[in-house]
Amino acid sequence: MYSKEELQRGLKTKIIGKKLFTFDTIDSTNACAKTLAAAGTEEGAVVVSDFQTKGRGRQGRSWFTEPGTNLLLSCILRPCISMEQVGLLTIFASVSVGRALQAVTSTVVECKWPNDLLINKKKCCGILVENSINKQSLEYAVVGIGINVKQKSFPQEIKGRATSLALEFGTEFDRREIFQKVLEELDVLYSDVGKGNFEPVINEWNARCTMFGRKITVTQAETKISGTALRLSDDGGLVIDTVEGKKTIYAGDVTVIV
Ligand code: BTN
């Protein structure tokens, strides 16, 4: 369904998507991009597939979408950044997709820590960044992006929290247009991020996040941490004010209480 030529025609990027690998079905675009990156494929290369049989989500979860409905893509990056900045690549990808979806839908798109994009408070996109670290430096990163474009139904367990552009706007968006917009926003922001300047994306992520100052609970496996969400830490964690003092967390599912 995705022709490489169609996806690249008119694409206005310098790096991202200059090389494109397209599939009808694949196990996971992230897994494929990691294999390609390990074999030396250049930065900016993008893998896109119409369907994944083993789509990967955060915390070892699976990411399932119906065939022919959504956008599933992964991008190889080789940024010159410090180890402390690696966690900020999710922030960079979130802001890029947020900008792209906002441009296409003319609706405010919210960032939710750590890796979600919300429209009308429901998740329409998830991001999974996977890294290869060698001798304390980043060899490559794979930025995986799953955007729910046309999917109309979701499994029972996520039904109340997940959505798609089709469900929110009652219209079918063009996946090619969204694909190109996402790549173009990644490309624009990467001119700073690739050199280690995350300030613009951190500022925009903060402006798109509505949980600061609110009471939240973070669930990490068997543990729950409650407190007030304060800010993003310099390395992409979430700073929370708890009864035991300030804590920075790096993983977990956030529920906003009030
Ligand atoms: C999450 O748990 O919210 C992250 C989901 C990330 C899913 C995308 S779909 C494209 C890419 N390939 C994968 O296997 N996962 C990511």
Side-chain angles (χ1 to χ4, degrees):
M1 90 102 221
Y2 286 121
S3 114
K4 198 181 291 190
E5 293 68 35
E6 270 174 338
L7 288 176
Q8 277 182 320
R9 194 178 309 134
L11 181 67
K12 298 185 222 62
T13 59
K14 290 198 212 78
I15 303 175
I16 313 291
K18 284 290 165 198
K19 188 158 194 124
L20 199 55
F21 298 85
T22 57
F23 297 88
D24 288 331
T25 299
I26 199 169
D27 52 354
S28 151
T29 58
N30 264 31
C32 176
K34 282 177 81 176
T35 305
L36 288 167
T41 302
E42 71 250 39
E43 111 163 320
V46 169
V47 179
V48 58
S49 184
D50 199 36
F51 182 60
Q52 294 182 134
T53 54
K54 283 189 189 153
R56 299 177 182 177
R58 210 161 46 85
Q59 300 191 314
R61 295 177 189 139
S62 53
W63 181 263
F64 177 78
T65 63
E66 289 166 2
T69 56
N70 296 338
L71 257 178
L72 311 164
L73 66 107
S74 302
C75 179
I76 297 171
L77 297 175
R78 301 181 186 277
C80 294
I81 59 176
S82 67
M83 291 306 295
E84 291 69 41
Q85 293 176 313
V86 168
L88 293 169
L89 289 171
T90 305
I91 301 303
F92 151 65
S94 299
V95 170
S96 306
V97 179
R99 282 185 174 194
L101 295 185
Q102 190 151 329
V104 170
T105 64
S106 307
T107 299
V108 174
V109 179
E110 194 184 315
C111 292
K112 182 182 175 206
W113 191 88
N115 70 331
D116 296 350
L117 288 163
L118 312 182
I119 290 182
N120 299 331
K121 300 288 173 204
K122 288 186 168 184
K123 177 166 174 170
C124 61
C125 170
I127 287 160
L128 179 68
V129 178
E130 297 188 71
N131 304 307
S132 173
I133 314 273
N134 191 12
K135 296 194 186 115
Q136 281 305 296
S137 80
L138 180 68
E139 218 168 26
Y140 64 81
V142 164
V143 174
I145 298 169
I147 304 173
N148 299 334
V149 181
K150 300 185 187 183
Q151 189 159 333
K152 296 262 175 65
S153 63
F154 290 90
Q156 194 58 39
E157 62 274 21
I158 57 167
K159 217 174 191 155
R161 289 176 281 127
T163 193
S164 68
L165 303 189
L167 284 175
E168 291 308 307
F169 301 101
T171 172
E172 297 232 324
F173 288 85
D174 179 7
R175 282 189 292 169
R176 176 181 168 272
E177 186 190 346
I178 299 171
F179 175 80
Q180 291 200 341
K181 197 73 192 143
V182 168
L183 265 50
E184 285 165 8
E185 294 296 350
L186 285 168
D187 200 71
V188 166
L189 294 171
Y190 195 64
S191 58
D192 276 322
V193 163
K195 292 181 266 183
N197 178 13
F198 282 87
E199 205 184 314
V201 292
I202 291 174
N203 289 341
E204 188 166 334
W205 193 94
N206 282 331
R208 288 183 181 277
C209 177
T210 60
M211 70 167 71
F212 298 131
R214 307 192 53 187
K215 295 256 182 277
I216 61 165
T217 296
V218 184
T219 308
Q220 298 173 320
E222 304 300 302
T223 322
K224 281 189 192 301
I225 305 168
S226 294
T228 305
L230 291 182
R231 59 183 171 83
L232 203 59
S233 67
D234 292 345
D235 53 359
L238 181 66
V239 185
I240 311 174
D241 194 14
T242 74
V243 284
E244 292 157 2
K246 289 198 181 102
K247 285 188 179 171
T248 304
I249 51 154
Y250 292 94
D253 294 313
V254 175
T255 309
V256 178
I257 303 165
V258 279

